[in-house]
């Protein structure tokens, strides 16, 4: 096993409160954002009942990955036999989802995962937990030794990423979703913007500046907000929290407008055109999950970052994130045993739970 040295853990992100004025940073259509994790929750557990009539259109829009679980140990049960059980989704933000289901298209370094999320929907459907795994986390990748976790997707596509995450966490993955998110700004605009609170004036010294207060952010403004790294207390970790904060804002907007058929139709159409998923994660499967979890509210969804001890250097000199296994392993065990809600509630002060306000 390679030896790594961990630098001190960055200071925690300060508490926030928003309003805005942003000069959007240049848009990069290749920067992925894993908001799809919340979008999956929305499709599966909220606000989807108003427009069943266009479900087949949505199903046709979703790019299919085939069966990325083929040959993987501990593959999930068929979806039609698991509707009353806990469900775990692995959600990636990648720079491209095109040809994602064709293993011959995968080349080392050809595709990156900018964000990795584990979404847990318990069997009782009374809560949901979303865990972001830092893309630079140093882990074992089957057949490739140790590397940053996002290398698994580059090395072997969905199957290798699923196997890597299952081996790392001990959590069986039931469904896999990936997005290129070129159109995530359109998703925000389909909702006529989202409300995000900024706790203090903050800028990166260049193109992006947000003033203190509550802001109704457009897609371009949300992009600038989530991509900002400089000026944040803890750099990339703060950026992950901003991504989660934006997801939470989308979830709230959808919950508050679930009866607006026009808005929901536009929003879910945009979402369906922006994601790829395993063949088993059909609209019918999502509908069944929704029916079993339609009582979920925004406050029932907990966002967190996988516990880490800090950043460091691998033996070959790469800048990496060192996971804190003393906190990481019990959290993942609670998810694997479908006891995450109680565990997170009891240990919230020791975990990287998203605060009510994000800087």
């Amino acid at each position: 096993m390679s030896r790594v040295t961990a630098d001190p853990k960055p200071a925690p992100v300060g508490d926030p409160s928003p309003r805005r004025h942003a000069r959007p940073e240049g848009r990069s259509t290749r920067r992925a954002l894993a908001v799809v994790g919340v979008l999956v929750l929305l499709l599966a557990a909220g606000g989807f009942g108003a427009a069943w009539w266009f479900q087949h259109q949505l199903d046709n829009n979703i790019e299919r990955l085939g069966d990325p679980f083929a040959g993987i140990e501990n593959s999930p049960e068929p979806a039609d036999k698991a509707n009353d059980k806990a469900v775990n989704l692995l959600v990636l933000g990648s720079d491209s989802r095109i040809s994602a289901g064709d293993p011959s298209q995968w080349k080392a370094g050809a595709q990156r995962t900018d964000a990795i999320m584990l979404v847990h929907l318990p069997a009782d459907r009374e809560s949901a937990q979303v865990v972001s795994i830092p893309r630079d986390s140093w882990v074992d990748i089957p057949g490739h030794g140790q590397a940053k976790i996002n290398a698994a997707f580059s090395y072997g596509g969905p199957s290798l990423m699923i196997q890597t995450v299952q081996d790392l966490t001990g959590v069986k993955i039931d469904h896999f979703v990936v997005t290129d998110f070129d159109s995530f700004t359109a998703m925000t605009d389909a909702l006529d913007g989202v409300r995000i609170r900024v706790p203090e004036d903050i800028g990166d010294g260049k193109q992006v500046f947000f003033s203190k207060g509550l802001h109704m952010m457009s897609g371009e403004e949300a992009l600038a907000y989530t991509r900002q790294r400089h000026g944040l207390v803890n750099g990339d970790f703060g950026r992950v929290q901003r991504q989660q904060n934006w997801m939470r804002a989308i979830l709230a907007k959808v919950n508050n407008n679930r009866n607006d058929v026009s808005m929901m139709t536009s929003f879910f159409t945009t979402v369906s055109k922006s994601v790829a998923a395993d063949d088993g994660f059909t609209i019918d499967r999502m509908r069944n999950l929704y029916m079993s979890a339609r009582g979920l509210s925004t406050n029932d969804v907990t966002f967190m970052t996988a516990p880490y001890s800090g950043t460091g250097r691998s033996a070959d000199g790469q800048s990496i994130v060192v996971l804190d296994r003393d906190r990481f392993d019990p959290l993942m065990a609670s998810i694997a045993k479908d006891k995450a809600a109680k565990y997170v509630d009891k240990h919230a002060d020791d975990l990287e739970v998203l605060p009510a306000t994000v800087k």
Side-chain angles (χ1 to χ4, degrees):
M1 179 176 289
S2 300
R3 180 171 170 271
V4 299
T5 56
D7 300 328
K9 179 179 175 180
V13 172
D15 278 336
S17 214
R19 180 173 167 208
R20 148 222 150 299
H21 232 311
R23 293 188 297 275
E25 185 177 349
R27 176 180 176 184
S28 168
T29 60
R30 287 188 172 272
R31 297 294 291 186
L33 185 64
V35 65
V36 71
V38 160
L39 301 180
V40 166
L41 280 175
L42 293 172
L43 286 169
F48 190 62
W52 292 125
W53 57 269
F54 76 120
Q55 64 176 345
H56 295 298
Q57 175 187 337
L58 297 181
D59 216 4
N60 290 333
N61 287 343
I62 298 172
E63 184 178 336
R64 292 299 168 185
L65 298 170
D67 182 11
F69 300 96
I72 295 178
E73 296 180 2
N74 301 318
S75 293
E77 297 178 18
D80 61 353
K81 294 183 180 180
N83 287 327
D84 61 344
K85 298 182 180 180
V87 178
N88 300 306
L89 306 110
L90 180 59
V91 183
L92 304 186
S94 173
D95 51 2
S96 176
R97 69 187 176 105
I98 305 303
S99 300
D102 183 357
S104 68
Q105 298 296 315
W106 294 97
K107 297 179 181 179
Q111 290 182 306
R112 301 180 302 275
T113 53
D114 205 39
I116 303 164
M117 298 174 61
L118 178 62
V119 180
H120 177 67
L121 189 63
D124 64 13
R125 304 297 194 258
E126 293 183 359
S127 66
Q129 293 76 39
V130 183
V131 183
S132 292
I133 303 175
R135 61 184 179 180
D136 292 340
S137 299
W138 194 247
V139 303
D140 290 313
I141 299 178
H144 296 272
Q146 288 197 307
K148 295 179 181 182
I149 192 170
N150 66 348
F153 190 60
S154 179
Y155 291 155
S159 294
L160 185 58
M161 177 58 85
I162 292 169
Q163 185 70 71
T164 298
V165 172
Q166 287 193 157
D167 290 353
L168 172 69
T169 64
V171 174
K172 186 175 69 172
I173 303 302
D174 297 293
H175 292 294
F176 180 86
V177 180
V178 61
T179 179
D180 58 8
F181 253 88
D182 285 355
S183 58
F184 91 92
T185 56
M187 297 181 193
T188 301
D189 291 335
L191 295 172
D192 294 332
V194 295
R195 293 184 183 277
I196 295 179
R197 182 171 297 280
V198 178
E200 61 187 51
D201 292 352
I202 186 170
D204 65 359
K206 298 178 181 179
Q207 296 178 308
V208 181
F209 177 80
F210 293 95
S211 59
K212 178 180 178 180
L214 182 64
H215 300 273
M216 177 63 78
M217 293 190 186
S218 67
E220 289 289 346
E221 291 161 351
L223 173 64
Y225 172 81
T226 56
R227 289 186 62 206
Q228 184 177 352
R229 189 176 316 172
H230 302 293
L232 301 183
V233 174
N234 56 357
D236 270 345
F237 296 111
R239 186 166 169 262
V240 168
Q241 286 198 322
R242 280 192 167 197
Q243 291 174 352
Q244 293 177 341
N245 196 36
W246 181 77
M247 298 175 206
R248 184 168 59 188
I250 284 195
L251 180 58
K253 187 66 177 282
V254 170
N255 279 340
N256 291 335
N257 292 274
R258 65 177 66 194
N259 293 323
D260 187 330
V261 176
S262 177
M263 179 181 289
M264 292 300 98
T265 299
S266 175
F267 176 69
F268 285 114
T269 298
T270 303
V271 171
S272 67
K273 291 179 178 179
S274 304
V275 301
D278 64 90
D279 285 355
F281 202 45
T282 63
I283 293 296
D284 283 342
R285 168 65 162 153
M286 297 177 194
R287 179 177 60 187
N288 289 336
L289 289 176
Y290 161 71
M291 292 303 293
S292 68
R294 56 190 179 275
L296 282 182
S297 69
T298 308
N299 293 333
D300 297 321
V301 182
T302 301
F303 294 87
M304 67 195 93
T305 303
Y308 57 91
S309 57
T311 57
R313 292 282 173 182
S314 63
D316 60 359
Q318 297 182 63
S319 176
I320 63 174
V321 171
V322 182
L323 295 175
D324 184 346
R325 300 306 295 258
D326 288 340
R327 293 186 296 143
F328 180 86
D329 291 348
L331 172 62
M332 292 302 145
S334 75
I335 292 175
K337 296 175 182 177
D338 195 20
K339 297 181 178 179
K342 290 183 178 179
Y343 183 86
V344 171
D345 184 59
K346 182 177 180 180
H347 299 277
D349 291 342
D350 298 323
L351 298 172
E352 313 295 336
V353 176
L354 187 69
T357 308
V358 175
K359 183 172 180 179

